[in-house]
Amino acid sequence: MTERVAVDMWFDPACPWAWITSRWLLEVEQVRDVDIRFHVMSLAVLNDGRDELPEEYKTFLSTAWGPVRVCIAAEQRYGGDVLRKLYTALGTRIHLGKEERGRELYVAALTDAGLDPALADAADSTEYDEALRASHEAGMRPVGQDVGTPVIHAPGPDGGQVAFFGPVITPAPKGAAAGRLWDGVLLVAGTPGFYEIKRTREQGPIFD
């Protein structure tokens, strides 16, 4: 029997593309011998101090601190395994329900995940920012600072770790198609000197 291996994904709950990738990874978990572990990165941390950003994106980032702080607070209280169900609860409300990011959403998502709703207080506190930045740095260090989320760390074809941004996909492949994409992603990511493959996005996120 093939031994299952751990694959780590860093997410920001506010990013729709990371959400789709996370749902794909959960499909991969069913058809390949991998166990997905979730970790927090932050688009707000990544872009902190970048004054050249468009105003619309700055507005988006101003509301992106809350959910990552709540995630880190929950991880500190309950351990890293809790992020799977909390991310699902947050993402379902943010991306499928189109709910506004704010205390009401965080309380509801924490309740959905069976966690203490009082952890919603973390959204407006800097108490967990040091731990947030440490989690962010752990995810981004192997891939650099010129990418966003999703970031994935996985055992490569030769057994060594590979880390990469992406894949950016829509909608999330299901079943056997999810496994084929996983095999291909690992193949290119594990190729020494391989940096990028890309094409123009012609459609927005599809949350099927």
Side-chain angles (χ1 to χ4, degrees), residues 155-174:
D158 64 355
Q161 186 191 71
V162 294
F164 51 90
F165 163 74
V168 176
I169 48 175
T170 192
K174 307 292 194 300

Side-chain angles (χ1 to χ4, degrees), residues 93-202:
R93 289 180 173 275
I94 292 171
H95 304 298
L96 305 186
K98 307 299 182 185
E99 297 180 27
E100 183 178 351
R101 292 191 295 276
R103 182 178 176 79
E104 183 177 348
L105 185 154
Y106 309 143
V107 168
L110 287 160
T111 302
D112 292 344
L115 308 176
D116 182 1
L119 290 173
D121 293 343
D124 298 314
S125 169
T126 61
E127 178 182 354
Y128 298 95
D129 283 8
E130 183 177 352
L132 170 62
R133 291 178 183 276
S135 179
H136 174 91
E137 172 63 19
M140 303 304 291
R141 189 182 307 114
V143 294
Q145 298 299 314
D146 60 346
V147 300
T149 180
V151 165
I152 294 172
H153 298 186
D158 64 355
Q161 186 191 71
V162 294
F164 51 90
F165 163 74
V168 176
I169 48 175
T170 192
K174 307 292 194 300
R180 287 195 298 271
L181 177 58
W182 176 251
D183 296 340
V185 167
L186 278 191
L187 179 63
V188 296
T191 300
F194 181 87
Y195 292 109
E196 187 171 1
I197 183 170
K198 192 172 185 178
R199 57 187 170 193
T200 300
R201 297 182 200 173
E202 297 180 342

Side-chain angles (χ1 to χ4, degrees), residues 25-102:
L25 286 175
L26 294 180
E27 286 284 321
V28 172
E29 197 176 50
Q30 304 305 310
V31 296
R32 295 293 185 270
D33 292 318
V34 301
D35 292 314
I36 309 302
R37 301 186 301 198
F38 292 101
H39 309 270
V40 184
M41 66 83 68
S42 170
L43 292 171
V45 169
L46 180 67
N47 291 284
D48 197 15
R50 296 183 179 179
D51 294 332
E52 74 280 7
L53 297 171
E55 289 303 318
E56 182 179 2
Y57 194 59
K58 287 182 180 179
T59 299
F60 165 83
L61 293 174
S62 70
T63 64
W65 286 100
V68 290
R69 286 168 169 166
V70 170
C71 285
I72 290 293
E75 182 181 31
Q76 296 272 299
R77 171 84 66 87
Y78 298 101
D81 290 347
V82 78
L83 290 176
R84 175 184 289 244
K85 60 182 178 181
L86 180 54
Y87 182 25
T88 293
L90 285 165
T92 297
R93 289 180 173 275
I94 292 171
H95 304 298
L96 305 186
K98 307 299 182 185
E99 297 180 27
E100 183 178 351
R101 292 191 295 276

